[in-house]
């Protein structure tokens, strides 16, 4: 058997992609929100895997997040070399094999501590806030560590919704990161 390596990453419009109805993984709203936040913070760095007809093989959660963010196109890798049985099996293997890895807790805790000291938003990493707090020795409260401005009262009687485009959200996150850096200096 010859090892297959992808030739290239392509950009496809979302409307060209179709979910695979046999995908047994479930992506609930909170996870899709977390994936969307990750895409905004780090970029769309993990292409979707599709067959030649645009049916998803891997990346259903990323597709849901891209849709939520209103992206027009996403990176894909076409896996045209798989047989139908291999494609269906890979849908399962891609998820299950990742679950079999373990954390080196000493290294993980050291990296989390460094990120925490750097002011990085640890909520973007996908860990439960209680687990983060335990790994950081109780130093993580699960919310942004920036002090609140007590000069302006908050009117809690009016619900507000702010809708941002992905580009506006990126600019907002970058500005927030810059503000954190300047307050630590």
């Amino acid at each position: 058997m010859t090892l297959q390596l992808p030739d290239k990453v392509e950009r496809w419009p979302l409307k060209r992609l179709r979910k695979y109805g046999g995908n047994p993984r479930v992506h609930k709203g909170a996870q899709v929100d977390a994936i969307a936040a990750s895409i905004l913070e780090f970029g769309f760095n993990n292409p979707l895997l599709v067959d030649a007809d645009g049916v998803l093989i891997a990346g259903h959660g990323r597709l849901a997040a891209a849709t939520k963010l209103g992206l027009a196109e996403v990176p894909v890798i076409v896996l045209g070399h798989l047989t139908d049985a291999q494609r269906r099996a890979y849908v399962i293997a891609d998820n299950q094999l990742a679950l079999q890895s373990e954390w080196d807790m000493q290294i993980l805790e050291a990296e989390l501590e460094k990120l925490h000291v750097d002011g990085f938003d640890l909520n973007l990493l996908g860990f439960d806030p209680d687990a983060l707090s335990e790994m950081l020795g109780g130093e993580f409260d699960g919310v942004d560590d920036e002090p609140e401005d007590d000069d302006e009262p908050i009117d809690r009687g009016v619900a507000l919704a702010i809708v941002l485009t992905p580009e506006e959200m990126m600019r907002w996150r970058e500005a927030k990161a810059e503000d954190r850096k300047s307050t630590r200096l």
Side-chain angles (χ1 to χ4, degrees), residues 96-115:
Q96 184 57 31
L97 292 172
L99 294 175
Q100 295 177 5
S101 66
E102 297 179 13
W103 292 107
D104 179 316
M105 293 307 292
Q106 187 175 3
I107 294 173
L108 176 61
E109 289 171 3
E111 287 298 308
L112 290 172
E113 181 62 34
K114 290 177 195 174
L115 289 168

Side-chain angles (χ1 to χ4, degrees), residues 33 35 41 43 49 62 67 100 102 127 144 148 150 182:
D33 291 345
I35 295 169
E41 178 70 21
L49 305 180
R62 293 187 301 280
T67 301
Q100 295 177 5
E102 297 179 13
F127 288 98
D144 195 346
E148 289 187 26
D150 293 331
S182 66

Side-chain angles (χ1 to χ4, degrees), residues 13-135:
L14 288 184
K15 62 185 175 189
R16 186 174 173 187
L17 302 169
R18 297 180 315 175
K19 295 178 187 175
Y20 172 54
N23 179 27
R25 287 298 268 187
V26 177
H27 300 281
K28 297 188 178 187
Q31 184 196 23
V32 172
D33 291 345
I35 295 169
S38 177
I39 290 169
L40 288 173
E41 178 70 21
F42 306 114
F44 207 120
N45 300 322
N46 193 358
L48 306 178
L49 305 180
V50 299
D51 68 13
D53 296 323
V55 177
L56 238 53
I57 297 171
H60 288 79
R62 293 187 301 280
L63 177 60
T67 301
K68 183 172 192 123
L69 292 171
L71 301 181
E73 59 184 17
V74 292
V76 302
I77 296 175
V78 180
L79 302 181
H81 65 281
L82 298 177
T83 67
D84 184 57
Q86 286 175 322
R87 179 187 50 76
R88 292 191 334 266
Y90 190 75
V91 169
I92 297 167
D94 181 60
N95 287 290
Q96 184 57 31
L97 292 172
L99 294 175
Q100 295 177 5
S101 66
E102 297 179 13
W103 292 107
D104 179 316
M105 293 307 292
Q106 187 175 3
I107 294 173
L108 176 61
E109 289 171 3
E111 287 298 308
L112 290 172
E113 181 62 34
K114 290 177 195 174
L115 289 168
H116 188 62
V117 168
D118 289 344
F120 189 82
D121 184 357
L122 299 181
N123 293 301
L124 293 168
L125 302 180
F127 288 98
D128 175 83
D130 292 335
L132 281 171
S133 183
E134 185 177 322
M135 287 185 278

Side-chain angles (χ1 to χ4, degrees), residues 141-182:
D141 61 11
V143 296
D144 195 346
D145 291 329
E146 289 185 26
E148 289 187 26
D149 183 3
D150 293 331
D151 295 339
E152 295 183 26
I154 298 172
D155 181 5
R156 305 251 186 232
V158 178
L160 298 175
I162 300 173
V163 180
L164 300 175
T165 66
E167 293 80 16
E168 291 170 326
M169 180 61 98
M170 284 295 288
R171 286 194 301 273
W172 176 81
R173 292 184 74 65
E174 289 168 356
K176 187 175 175 184
E178 286 299 318
D179 288 346
R180 276 193 195 135
K181 287 179 186 175
S182 66

